[in-house]
Amino acid sequence: MGKTKPFSIAKREVWEAYKRVKVNRGAAGIDGQTIEEFEKDLSNNLYKLWNRMSSGSYFPAPVRRVNIPKPDGRLRPLGILTVADRTGQMVAKRYLEPKLEPHFHPDSYGYRPGKSAIEAGGTARRRCWQYNWVIDLDIKGFFDEIDHELLLRMVRKHTDCKWVLLYIERWLKAPVQLPDGGLIERDKGTPQGSVISPLLSNLFLHYVFDKWMQREFSSIPFERYADDVICHCVSEKQAKYVLGAIRRRMAKFKLELHPGKTRIVYCKDDRRKGCYPNEKFDFLGFTFRPRLSMNKKGERFVGFSPAVSNKAVKAIRQTIRSWNLTRRTRESLEDFARMYNPVIRGWINYYSSFYKSALYRTLWHLDRVLSRWARRKYKRLSGGQRRAQHWLKRIIRREPGLFVHWRFAYAWARR
């Protein structure tokens, strides 16, 4: 008779977890193994992972750290796990998520089934119309500061499954490999970029913030997307009081609000006549501020509304710049459309959710880049930028569906 494994993990669960990991793609971890390389011996690799997880002998590899530039010039550290470790974490996530989801707050939107950033932004917009004041919270280095023992205590509230508890602890404590090859041990934090980090961070803030707010300040609505939080208040006095209480609450769990980024904001519009230093805030890639709008009767008014933020616009332009279109004169417009329409479509689907015209001006920047590309590709257009712009407008009229943003630019091109 074969020896029974100490942990009961179905082989099918490992296979289903891998399929989810494959869809999400991702870079190679510390072992340099890509998804494609992992699949060359897929059956054996998944069997080895299942065997180790079932027997208790599974230990994760160190997490490879890469630094991703942020719009403000700083670097965001991301943790890249091996394909095997991502699959193992997905097995645990598929087990744990259904147990946690029913307990989470309805205004927690980040990385949850059936929830989205657009939904969070829409709720924030509606509540900004209802409440005069906002607390814009920024938790300093949240993912790097999560206390392991406190987090594990929270996990134990929802499961006594031994293998889940064992491997979550091992994943949390797995060392990080720095870009220079050095290893650092971890006694706190969960790496951004890992499969299970969003679920664990949601659980942590569920107890630290969501549930506490529901108990102590039930009249204060909020939207939370991971560690981005907006609270709505009726007065500046109330906002200051609540912010002080939140700051003390965070300190109790070894977290700190960023002193330069946490602010109280006045939601100024036509009805709100006061003037205050802070009358705008950023949330999920949108800037909320007073904007000229038009009602259903065609009447203009100033409303407090979101639109694509300057940081997001800068990131879009940097992405377009990284394509180096003006140097690629061997390719055609059709080639560019085929390669980049999925990216452009993603920008439109997200950032045009509110105040669309702000995004259109950004996408027209791509058309200016295409005009410069045309000047280098076609000698007859080298006489000036205006000639190339007229050429591009004729293309837009003839093939308005070539680039996904041209259906918006078509009316502009006719002016």
Side-chain angles (χ1 to χ4, degrees):
M1 294 179 64
K3 185 178 179 181
T4 304
K5 301 285 186 183
F7 300 137
S8 178
I9 302 173
K11 292 179 182 178
R12 183 73 186 178
E13 277 300 307
V14 178
W15 168 241
E16 293 296 330
Y18 172 73
K19 288 196 292 186
R20 292 271 295 276
V21 168
K22 182 181 178 181
V23 169
N24 295 334
R25 307 302 298 171
I30 191 175
D31 59 357
Q33 190 176 50
T34 63
I35 290 283
E36 291 74 19
E37 290 167 338
F38 189 85
E39 286 206 322
K40 290 178 181 177
D41 194 13
L42 181 60
S43 180
N44 188 45
N45 285 330
L46 292 181
Y47 177 81
K48 286 192 295 185
L49 176 63
W50 168 81
N51 188 47
R52 290 168 181 169
M53 291 188 73
S54 299
S55 65
S57 62
Y58 164 72
F59 286 87
V63 178
R64 182 169 71 91
R65 174 172 290 180
V66 297
N67 294 317
I68 306 299
K70 296 173 68 174
D72 59 7
R74 296 182 300 147
L75 297 176
R76 180 191 300 277
L78 291 182
I80 310 298
L81 280 65
T82 66
V83 178
D85 288 340
R86 297 206 293 271
T87 304
Q89 287 198 6
M90 187 63 78
V91 173
K93 180 185 176 184
R94 283 170 53 84
Y95 173 87
L96 194 58
E97 189 172 60
K99 297 181 180 299
L100 300 183
E101 266 297 315
H103 299 279
F104 285 164
H105 194 281
D107 281 317
S108 168
Y109 296 90
Y111 311 109
R112 294 183 59 193
K115 298 280 190 177
S116 71
I118 293 301
E119 185 184 357
T123 303
R125 178 179 63 167
R126 187 178 69 254
R127 288 173 175 165
C128 284
W129 295 341
Q130 298 170 343
Y131 295 80
N132 291 2
W133 295 87
V134 151
I135 306 172
D136 179 14
L137 296 176
D138 187 286
I139 304 173
K140 190 175 181 180
F142 169 67
F143 287 93
D144 294 329
E145 297 297 328
I146 294 176
D147 184 273
H148 286 175
E149 186 50 47
L150 290 174
L151 176 58
L152 288 169
R153 197 181 307 167
M154 295 169 185
V155 176
R156 293 187 195 105
K157 284 178 175 286
H158 297 275
T159 183
D160 58 359
C161 180
K162 292 183 179 180
W163 68 266
V164 171
L165 296 171
L166 174 67
Y167 294 140
I168 286 179
E169 185 170 9
R170 287 181 183 176
W171 287 318
L172 289 174
K173 294 183 177 180
V176 172
Q177 184 190 59
L178 301 175
D180 63 5
L183 290 178
I184 57 172
E185 300 297 322
R186 290 191 301 137
D187 58 3
K188 61 180 180 179
T190 177
Q192 293 186 67
S194 77
V195 170
I196 206 166
S197 281
L199 182 62
L200 295 179
S201 62
N202 266 338
L203 178 64
F204 196 77
L205 282 179
H206 169 73
Y207 284 105
V208 173
F209 184 79
D210 301 355
K211 200 169 182 180
W212 174 78
M213 282 289 290
Q214 197 172 27
R215 183 178 68 248
E216 300 295 327
F217 297 104
S218 59
S219 64
I220 307 293
F222 66 87
E223 301 82 42
R224 181 173 68 78
Y225 194 96
D227 60 332
D228 290 336
V229 190
I230 300 297
C231 302
H232 303 268
C233 299
V234 297
S235 67
E236 184 180 23
K237 181 179 179 180
Q238 184 187 54
K240 288 180 178 178
Y241 178 80
V242 174
L243 177 56
I246 293 172
R247 186 174 280 114
R248 292 189 295 273
R249 176 69 176 180
M250 292 294 170
K252 185 177 179 181
F253 289 86
K254 305 179 183 180
L255 297 175
E256 178 187 356
L257 296 182
H258 196 293
K261 294 183 178 181
T262 296
R263 302 180 304 158
I264 294 174
V265 178
Y266 182 59
C267 303
K268 187 178 179 66
D269 61 17
D270 273 343
R271 299 176 293 109
R272 297 158 177 161
K273 304 300 183 182
C275 291
Y276 294 87
N278 297 326
E279 295 180 350
K280 66 178 181 179
F281 66 89
D282 283 4
F283 184 52
L284 303 177
F286 296 95
T287 296
F288 288 68
R289 66 170 177 81
R291 299 180 189 277
L292 189 63
S293 304
M294 186 177 296
N295 62 23
K296 295 179 180 179
K297 298 179 181 179
E299 300 168 338
R300 293 183 179 275
F301 69 98
V302 175
F304 195 83
S305 300
V308 59
S309 69
N310 288 337
K311 288 182 180 179
V313 166
K314 183 178 179 181
I316 290 173
R317 290 190 175 220
Q318 286 177 338
T319 299
I320 293 172
R321 194 177 303 119
S322 72
W323 295 342
N324 290 317
L325 300 185
T326 55
R327 297 184 180 182
R328 296 161 60 180
T329 54
R330 293 186 178 182
E331 292 167 280
S332 66
L333 283 176
E334 289 76 15
D335 293 329
F336 294 149
R338 185 174 59 255
M339 286 185 283
Y340 301 122
N341 267 342
V343 178
I344 300 168
R345 185 178 293 109
W347 291 334
I348 292 172
N349 288 344
Y350 187 75
Y351 291 112
S352 70
S353 299
F354 312 109
Y355 217 85
K356 297 179 181 180
S357 59
L359 177 64
Y360 301 160
R361 289 192 293 270
T362 301
L363 294 177
W364 293 338
H365 171 71
L366 174 57
D367 291 343
R368 290 193 290 272
V369 173
L370 291 174
S371 295
R372 291 198 292 271
W373 166 83
R375 287 180 62 189
R376 297 191 65 171
K377 183 176 179 69
Y378 303 111
K379 292 183 179 179
R380 70 180 186 278
L381 301 177
S382 60
Q385 183 68 15
R386 185 177 295 275
R387 182 178 296 179
Q389 288 174 343
H390 286 309
W391 173 85
L392 187 63
K393 286 182 180 181
R394 289 194 296 271
I395 300 293
I396 293 172
R397 291 190 186 99
R398 190 171 68 239
E399 299 182 69
L402 182 59
F403 283 88
V404 292
H405 70 287
W406 278 2
R407 56 181 172 173
F408 307 121
Y410 182 66
W412 164 76
R414 292 178 59 186
R415 289 184 296 190

